[in-house]
Amino acid sequence: MSETVKIPADFWFDPLCPWAWMTSRWMLEVEKVRPVEVRWHVMSLSALNENKLDELPERYVGLTDTGWGPVRVCVAAAQRYGDEVLAPLYTALGTRIHLHRMGRGRDMILAALEDAGLPADLADAMDSGAYDDAVRASHKEGIDLVGQDVGTPIIAVPGPDGERIAFFGPVVTPAPKGEEAAKLWDGTLMVASLPGFFELKRTRTKGPIFD
């Protein structure tokens, strides 16, 4: 018997974003209930906002400054070991940032690298601007697909003619599991099949529910 062909789903994440974390946990669940293969990519809220600092509330300026560290480490790890390390590294980073509230400093990075089975010297990348061009390039790939005025996450799925159709989101809490995860995925493919579909949105009334 031939193996089932898996549908590729490209996912752009910034480890600091709690909403991207929720959506990423949904995508991991989708891989269990549908023939889907998630391909992980780095995007950066710091890169997104680096030319808008004068427009941001002061509390976001500091987050923009410190947000480079985790994405630099992700890019450095992928350059050295391949994109397949991004999934376990993102899980290790997100677990510490969003569940354990460990912040975004070097100790958190080192613990995440250890959990992902990666060498500690990759933590040096967090303070190196040498990876910023690669961060911006990965970020731009996602933005070019979805358009402007969005944040993270970005998800791209096959459209009716095989081209990648990208969306911001879905923004959902808590992360759906089982059949609910499958139905949301099926709906994502359905709207991607409509060439004129662009947006479906309502005001968020809940924060991220981590479970």
Short mmCIF file of all heavy atoms in Angstrom, two decimals, residues 19-52:
data_model
loop_
_atom_site.label_atom_id
_atom_site.label_comp_id
_atom_site.label_asym_id
_atom_site.label_seq_id
_atom_site.Cartn_x
_atom_site.Cartn_y
_atom_site.Cartn_z
N TRP A 19 -0.31 33.92 21.29
CA TRP A 19 -1.33 33.47 20.34
C TRP A 19 -0.74 32.53 19.30
O TRP A 19 -1.38 31.56 18.88
CB TRP A 19 -2.01 34.68 19.69
CG TRP A 19 -2.80 35.47 20.68
CD1 TRP A 19 -2.48 36.67 21.23
CD2 TRP A 19 -4.04 35.08 21.28
NE1 TRP A 19 -3.44 37.07 22.12
CE2 TRP A 19 -4.42 36.11 22.17
CE3 TRP A 19 -4.87 33.96 21.16
CZ2 TRP A 19 -5.58 36.06 22.93
CZ3 TRP A 19 -6.04 33.91 21.91
CH2 TRP A 19 -6.39 34.94 22.78
N ALA A 20 0.48 32.80 18.87
CA ALA A 20 1.16 31.87 17.97
C ALA A 20 1.37 30.52 18.67
O ALA A 20 1.23 29.46 18.04
CB ALA A 20 2.50 32.44 17.52
N TRP A 21 1.68 30.57 19.95
CA TRP A 21 1.87 29.34 20.71
C TRP A 21 0.58 28.51 20.72
O TRP A 21 0.60 27.30 20.48
CB TRP A 21 2.29 29.67 22.14
CG TRP A 21 2.38 28.49 23.05
CD1 TRP A 21 1.52 28.16 24.06
CD2 TRP A 21 3.39 27.47 23.06
NE1 TRP A 21 1.91 27.01 24.69
CE2 TRP A 21 3.07 26.57 24.10
CE3 TRP A 21 4.53 27.25 22.30
CZ2 TRP A 21 3.86 25.45 24.39
CZ3 TRP A 21 5.32 26.13 22.58
CH2 TRP A 21 4.97 25.25 23.62
N MET A 22 -0.56 29.16 20.95
CA MET A 22 -1.83 28.45 20.95
C MET A 22 -2.09 27.80 19.59
O MET A 22 -2.48 26.63 19.50
CB MET A 22 -2.98 29.40 21.30
CG MET A 22 -2.85 30.13 22.61
SD MET A 22 -2.73 29.04 24.04
CE MET A 22 -4.30 28.20 23.94
N THR A 23 -1.88 28.57 18.52
CA THR A 23 -2.14 28.05 17.19
C THR A 23 -1.18 26.93 16.84
O THR A 23 -1.56 25.95 16.18
CB THR A 23 -2.04 29.18 16.14
OG1 THR A 23 -2.84 30.28 16.57
CG2 THR A 23 -2.50 28.72 14.78
N SER A 24 0.05 27.04 17.28
CA SER A 24 1.03 25.98 17.00
C SER A 24 0.66 24.68 17.70
O SER A 24 0.87 23.59 17.15
CB SER A 24 2.44 26.42 17.44
OG SER A 24 2.58 26.44 18.86
N ARG A 25 0.09 24.76 18.90
CA ARG A 25 -0.33 23.53 19.59
C ARG A 25 -1.51 22.89 18.85
O ARG A 25 -1.63 21.66 18.81
CB ARG A 25 -0.70 23.83 21.03
CG ARG A 25 0.40 24.42 21.91
CD ARG A 25 1.71 23.64 21.83
NE ARG A 25 2.63 24.20 20.85
CZ ARG A 25 3.85 23.69 20.60
NH1 ARG A 25 4.24 22.62 21.25
NH2 ARG A 25 4.64 24.25 19.70
N TRP A 26 -2.36 23.74 18.27
CA TRP A 26 -3.44 23.22 17.43
C TRP A 26 -2.87 22.49 16.22
O TRP A 26 -3.31 21.39 15.87
CB TRP A 26 -4.35 24.36 16.99
CG TRP A 26 -5.24 24.04 15.83
CD1 TRP A 26 -6.25 23.12 15.79
CD2 TRP A 26 -5.18 24.62 14.52
NE1 TRP A 26 -6.84 23.10 14.54
CE2 TRP A 26 -6.20 24.02 13.75
CE3 TRP A 26 -4.39 25.61 13.94
CZ2 TRP A 26 -6.42 24.36 12.41
CZ3 TRP A 26 -4.61 25.95 12.62
CH2 TRP A 26 -5.61 25.33 11.87
N MET A 27 -1.88 23.07 15.57
CA MET A 27 -1.31 22.43 14.38
C MET A 27 -0.64 21.10 14.71
O MET A 27 -0.71 20.15 13.92
CB MET A 27 -0.30 23.37 13.71
CG MET A 27 -0.92 24.50 12.89
SD MET A 27 -2.11 23.94 11.63
CE MET A 27 -1.18 22.68 10.77
N LEU A 28 -0.03 21.00 15.87
CA LEU A 28 0.54 19.71 16.27
C LEU A 28 -0.56 18.68 16.46
O LEU A 28 -0.38 17.49 16.17
CB LEU A 28 1.36 19.87 17.56
CG LEU A 28 2.66 20.66 17.43
CD1 LEU A 28 3.33 20.80 18.80
CD2 LEU A 28 3.61 19.99 16.44
N GLU A 29 -1.70 19.12 16.96
CA GLU A 29 -2.85 18.22 17.11
C GLU A 29 -3.39 17.84 15.73
O GLU A 29 -3.78 16.68 15.51
CB GLU A 29 -3.93 18.90 17.94
CG GLU A 29 -5.10 18.01 18.31
CD GLU A 29 -4.78 16.97 19.37
OE1 GLU A 29 -3.70 17.05 19.98
OE2 GLU A 29 -5.62 16.07 19.58
N VAL A 30 -3.41 18.79 14.80
CA VAL A 30 -3.90 18.50 13.45
C VAL A 30 -3.06 17.39 12.81
O VAL A 30 -3.59 16.52 12.10
CB VAL A 30 -3.87 19.77 12.58
CG1 VAL A 30 -4.11 19.44 11.11
CG2 VAL A 30 -4.93 20.76 13.07
N GLU A 31 -1.76 17.40 13.06
CA GLU A 31 -0.90 16.36 12.49
C GLU A 31 -1.30 14.96 12.96
O GLU A 31 -1.03 13.98 12.28
CB GLU A 31 0.56 16.62 12.87
CG GLU A 31 1.22 17.74 12.09
CD GLU A 31 2.71 17.81 12.33
OE1 GLU A 31 3.13 17.74 13.52
OE2 GLU A 31 3.45 17.94 11.36
N LYS A 32 -1.97 14.88 14.11
CA LYS A 32 -2.40 13.59 14.64
C LYS A 32 -3.71 13.11 14.01
O LYS A 32 -3.98 11.91 13.99
CB LYS A 32 -2.59 13.67 16.16
CG LYS A 32 -1.36 14.06 16.94
CD LYS A 32 -1.71 14.21 18.42
CE LYS A 32 -0.54 14.73 19.23
NZ LYS A 32 -0.92 14.94 20.67
N VAL A 33 -4.53 14.05 13.53
CA VAL A 33 -5.89 13.68 13.10
C VAL A 33 -6.13 13.89 11.61
O VAL A 33 -7.20 13.54 11.11
CB VAL A 33 -6.94 14.47 13.92
CG1 VAL A 33 -6.88 14.05 15.39
CG2 VAL A 33 -6.74 15.98 13.78
N ARG A 34 -5.19 14.47 10.92
CA ARG A 34 -5.29 14.66 9.48
C ARG A 34 -3.92 14.41 8.85
O ARG A 34 -2.89 14.57 9.51
CB ARG A 34 -5.75 16.09 9.15
CG ARG A 34 -7.21 16.39 9.48
CD ARG A 34 -8.16 15.62 8.57
NE ARG A 34 -9.56 16.00 8.77
CZ ARG A 34 -10.39 15.39 9.61
NH1 ARG A 34 -9.95 14.38 10.35
NH2 ARG A 34 -11.64 15.78 9.71
N PRO A 35 -3.88 14.02 7.56
CA PRO A 35 -2.59 13.79 6.89
C PRO A 35 -1.92 15.13 6.56
O PRO A 35 -1.98 15.62 5.43
CB PRO A 35 -2.99 13.01 5.63
CG PRO A 35 -4.38 13.47 5.33
CD PRO A 35 -5.03 13.69 6.67
N VAL A 36 -1.29 15.71 7.54
CA VAL A 36 -0.70 17.04 7.43
C VAL A 36 0.74 17.00 7.93
O VAL A 36 1.05 16.32 8.91
CB VAL A 36 -1.52 18.07 8.25
CG1 VAL A 36 -0.81 19.42 8.29
CG2 VAL A 36 -2.91 18.24 7.67
N GLU A 37 1.59 17.74 7.26
CA GLU A 37 2.97 17.92 7.71
C GLU A 37 3.23 19.40 7.88
O GLU A 37 3.16 20.17 6.92
CB GLU A 37 3.96 17.34 6.70
CG GLU A 37 5.42 17.53 7.12
CD GLU A 37 6.39 16.99 6.09
OE1 GLU A 37 5.95 16.74 4.95
OE2 GLU A 37 7.58 16.85 6.41
N VAL A 38 3.52 19.82 9.11
CA VAL A 38 3.80 21.22 9.39
C VAL A 38 5.26 21.51 9.10
O VAL A 38 6.16 20.77 9.52
CB VAL A 38 3.48 21.57 10.86
CG1 VAL A 38 3.74 23.06 11.10
CG2 VAL A 38 2.04 21.22 11.19
N ARG A 39 5.48 22.58 8.37
CA ARG A 39 6.83 23.06 8.09
C ARG A 39 7.00 24.39 8.82
O ARG A 39 6.28 25.35 8.56
CB ARG A 39 7.04 23.22 6.58
CG ARG A 39 6.81 21.91 5.83
CD ARG A 39 7.10 22.01 4.34
NE ARG A 39 6.28 22.99 3.64
CZ ARG A 39 6.03 22.95 2.32
NH1 ARG A 39 6.56 21.97 1.59
NH2 ARG A 39 5.28 23.87 1.74
N TRP A 40 7.97 24.43 9.73
CA TRP A 40 8.10 25.55 10.66
C TRP A 40 9.06 26.60 10.12
O TRP A 40 10.11 26.28 9.56
CB TRP A 40 8.57 25.03 12.02
CG TRP A 40 7.66 24.00 12.58
CD1 TRP A 40 7.76 22.65 12.44
CD2 TRP A 40 6.48 24.24 13.36
NE1 TRP A 40 6.72 22.03 13.08
CE2 TRP A 40 5.91 22.98 13.66
CE3 TRP A 40 5.85 25.39 13.84
CZ2 TRP A 40 4.76 22.84 14.41
CZ3 TRP A 40 4.70 25.25 14.60
CH2 TRP A 40 4.16 23.99 14.88
N HIS A 41 8.69 27.87 10.33
CA HIS A 41 9.50 28.99 9.88
C HIS A 41 9.49 30.07 10.97
O HIS A 41 8.51 30.23 11.69
CB HIS A 41 8.95 29.60 8.60
CG HIS A 41 8.68 28.62 7.51
ND1 HIS A 41 9.63 28.22 6.60
CD2 HIS A 41 7.54 27.93 7.18
CE1 HIS A 41 9.10 27.35 5.76
NE2 HIS A 41 7.83 27.16 6.09
N VAL A 42 10.57 30.84 11.01
CA VAL A 42 10.69 31.92 11.98
C VAL A 42 10.12 33.21 11.39
O VAL A 42 10.36 33.53 10.23
CB VAL A 42 12.16 32.14 12.37
CG1 VAL A 42 12.32 33.39 13.23
CG2 VAL A 42 12.70 30.91 13.10
N MET A 43 9.32 33.91 12.19
CA MET A 43 9.04 35.31 11.90
C MET A 43 9.34 36.08 13.18
O MET A 43 9.63 35.48 14.22
CB MET A 43 7.61 35.53 11.41
CG MET A 43 6.50 35.33 12.42
SD MET A 43 4.87 35.69 11.73
CE MET A 43 5.00 37.44 11.30
N SER A 44 9.31 37.38 13.12
CA SER A 44 9.79 38.15 14.26
C SER A 44 8.95 39.40 14.46
O SER A 44 8.88 40.26 13.57
CB SER A 44 11.26 38.54 14.06
OG SER A 44 11.66 39.48 15.03
N LEU A 45 8.34 39.51 15.64
CA LEU A 45 7.64 40.74 15.98
C LEU A 45 8.61 41.90 16.12
O LEU A 45 8.25 43.05 15.86
CB LEU A 45 6.86 40.54 17.28
CG LEU A 45 5.69 39.55 17.19
CD1 LEU A 45 5.09 39.30 18.56
CD2 LEU A 45 4.63 40.05 16.22
N SER A 46 9.85 41.60 16.48
CA SER A 46 10.87 42.65 16.55
C SER A 46 11.17 43.20 15.17
O SER A 46 11.29 44.41 14.97
CB SER A 46 12.14 42.11 17.21
OG SER A 46 11.90 41.75 18.55
N ALA A 47 11.28 42.30 14.18
CA ALA A 47 11.51 42.75 12.81
C ALA A 47 10.28 43.48 12.28
O ALA A 47 10.40 44.49 11.57
CB ALA A 47 11.83 41.56 11.91
N LEU A 48 9.10 42.99 12.63
CA LEU A 48 7.86 43.61 12.18
C LEU A 48 7.75 45.05 12.66
O LEU A 48 7.27 45.94 11.93
CB LEU A 48 6.67 42.80 12.69
CG LEU A 48 5.27 43.28 12.29
CD1 LEU A 48 5.02 43.04 10.81
CD2 LEU A 48 4.20 42.57 13.13
N ASN A 49 8.21 45.29 13.90
CA ASN A 49 8.01 46.59 14.53
C ASN A 49 9.25 47.48 14.54
O ASN A 49 9.20 48.60 15.07
CB ASN A 49 7.54 46.40 15.97
CG ASN A 49 6.16 45.78 16.03
OD1 ASN A 49 5.28 46.11 15.25
ND2 ASN A 49 5.96 44.86 16.98
N GLU A 50 10.36 47.01 13.95
CA GLU A 50 11.62 47.76 14.13
C GLU A 50 11.57 49.15 13.51
O GLU A 50 12.31 50.04 13.94
CB GLU A 50 12.79 46.96 13.56
CG GLU A 50 12.75 46.69 12.09
CD GLU A 50 13.96 45.87 11.64
OE1 GLU A 50 15.00 45.92 12.32
OE2 GLU A 50 13.86 45.17 10.61
N ASN A 51 10.74 49.37 12.52
CA ASN A 51 10.62 50.69 11.91
C ASN A 51 9.38 51.45 12.40
O ASN A 51 9.01 52.46 11.81
CB ASN A 51 10.60 50.57 10.39
CG ASN A 51 11.89 50.01 9.84
OD1 ASN A 51 12.98 50.37 10.29
ND2 ASN A 51 11.78 49.12 8.86
N LYS A 52 8.76 50.91 13.46
CA LYS A 52 7.54 51.53 13.97
C LYS A 52 7.65 51.88 15.45
O LYS A 52 6.64 52.06 16.12
CB LYS A 52 6.35 50.58 13.78
CG LYS A 52 6.15 50.06 12.38
CD LYS A 52 5.03 49.03 12.34
CE LYS A 52 4.90 48.37 10.99
NZ LYS A 52 3.86 47.31 10.99
#
